[in-house]
């Protein structure tokens, strides 16, 4: 039993030694991984800083170029203003002519509109006359139909009375015959 106990203790000691070695390896791996991540983060930070510096430089250059462009544009604008003044005078003359033309066109358009309104009124009047005639014809037809109906009803009554009278006479004749 003592030997068995010693062997068991030796086995437990070996296991503990192996576990310790495995734990140390895992710790070394973790340290290496952490160092790798820190290095990557540092690289990224450096890249971001470099990009920011480049952007700042680019913005400064763009500002200088914008200023230069603004000056050129200002000079061009001054020259253009001189040309515009000359063009404006010519434009005013052209505008006056265009205004006269527009006025003439307006008068012509109004005349045309008046003509169109007159024509439309004529067409509307004609349509109204036709509609009234059609309505009158429909009313006449309705009245004629109603009259025909009444006459038919009267004729039917007369025929009925004649038939009744005839039936009465026939009965009397039949009785007389029987007697």
């Amino acid at each position: 039993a003592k030997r068995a106990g010693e062997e068991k203790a030796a086995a437990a000691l070996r296991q503990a030694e192996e576990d310790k070695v495995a734990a140390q390896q895992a710790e070394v791996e973790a340290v290496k991984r952490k160092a790798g991540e820190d290095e990557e983060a540092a690289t990224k930070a450096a890249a971001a800083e470099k990009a920011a510096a480049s952007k700042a430089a680019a913005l400064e250059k763009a500002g200088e170029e914008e200023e230069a462009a603004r000056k050129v544009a200002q000079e061009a604008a001054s020259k253009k203003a001189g040309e515009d003044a000359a063009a404006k005078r010519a434009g005013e003359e052209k505008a006056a002519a265009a205004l006269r033309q527009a006025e003439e066109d307006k008068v012509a358009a109004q005349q045309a509109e008046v003509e169109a309104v007159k024509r439309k009124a004529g067409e509307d009047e004609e349509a109204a006359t036709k509609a009234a005639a059609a309505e009158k014809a429909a009313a006449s037809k309705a009245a004629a139909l109603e009259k025909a109906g009444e006459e038919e009803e009267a004729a039917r009554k007369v025929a009925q009375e004649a038939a009744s009278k005839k039936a009465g006479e026939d009965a009397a004749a039949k009785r007389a015959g029987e007697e």
Side-chain angles (χ1 to χ4, degrees):
K2 188 182 174 189
R3 267 198 314 280
E6 283 170 1
E7 281 166 20
K8 208 172 183 183
L13 207 63
R14 275 197 307 277
Q15 185 61 51
E17 200 60 41
E18 285 168 15
D19 289 352
K20 189 178 167 187
V21 170
Q24 283 173 342
Q25 282 175 342
E27 202 176 327
V28 167
E29 287 302 317
V31 168
K32 277 187 190 170
R33 194 168 58 251
K34 181 78 174 65
E37 287 169 6
D38 289 353
E39 192 179 347
E40 193 180 334
T43 308
K44 278 185 184 168
E49 207 172 310
K50 195 174 175 187
S54 298
K55 193 176 173 186
L59 283 172
E60 194 178 337
K61 190 159 188 294
E64 287 165 6
E65 284 171 6
E66 193 181 348
E67 179 64 22
R70 205 171 55 73
K71 280 188 182 161
V72 169
Q74 217 165 18
E75 285 162 18
S78 295
K79 190 179 169 192
K80 180 88 169 51
E83 289 168 5
D84 285 354
K88 191 181 173 192
R89 276 195 302 279
E92 282 167 0
E93 285 161 20
K94 206 173 179 181
L99 207 64
R100 277 194 304 276
Q101 184 59 50
E103 203 59 42
E104 288 166 15
D105 290 351
K106 190 176 168 188
V107 170
Q110 283 172 341
Q111 284 174 342
E113 201 174 329
V114 167
E115 288 302 316
V117 168
K118 279 186 189 169
R119 196 169 57 246
K120 180 80 173 67
E123 288 168 7
D124 289 353
E125 192 178 346
E126 193 181 333
T129 307
K130 280 184 184 169
E135 207 173 310
K136 196 171 174 188
S140 298
K141 192 177 174 185
L145 284 172
E146 195 178 337
K147 191 158 187 298
E150 287 167 4
E151 285 171 7
E152 193 181 345
E153 179 64 22
R156 205 170 54 72
K157 279 188 182 162
V158 168
Q160 214 166 22
E161 284 164 16
S164 294
K165 191 177 171 192
K166 178 87 170 51
E169 287 169 4
D170 286 356
K174 191 181 175 192
R175 273 199 308 279
E178 284 168 356
E179 285 165 14

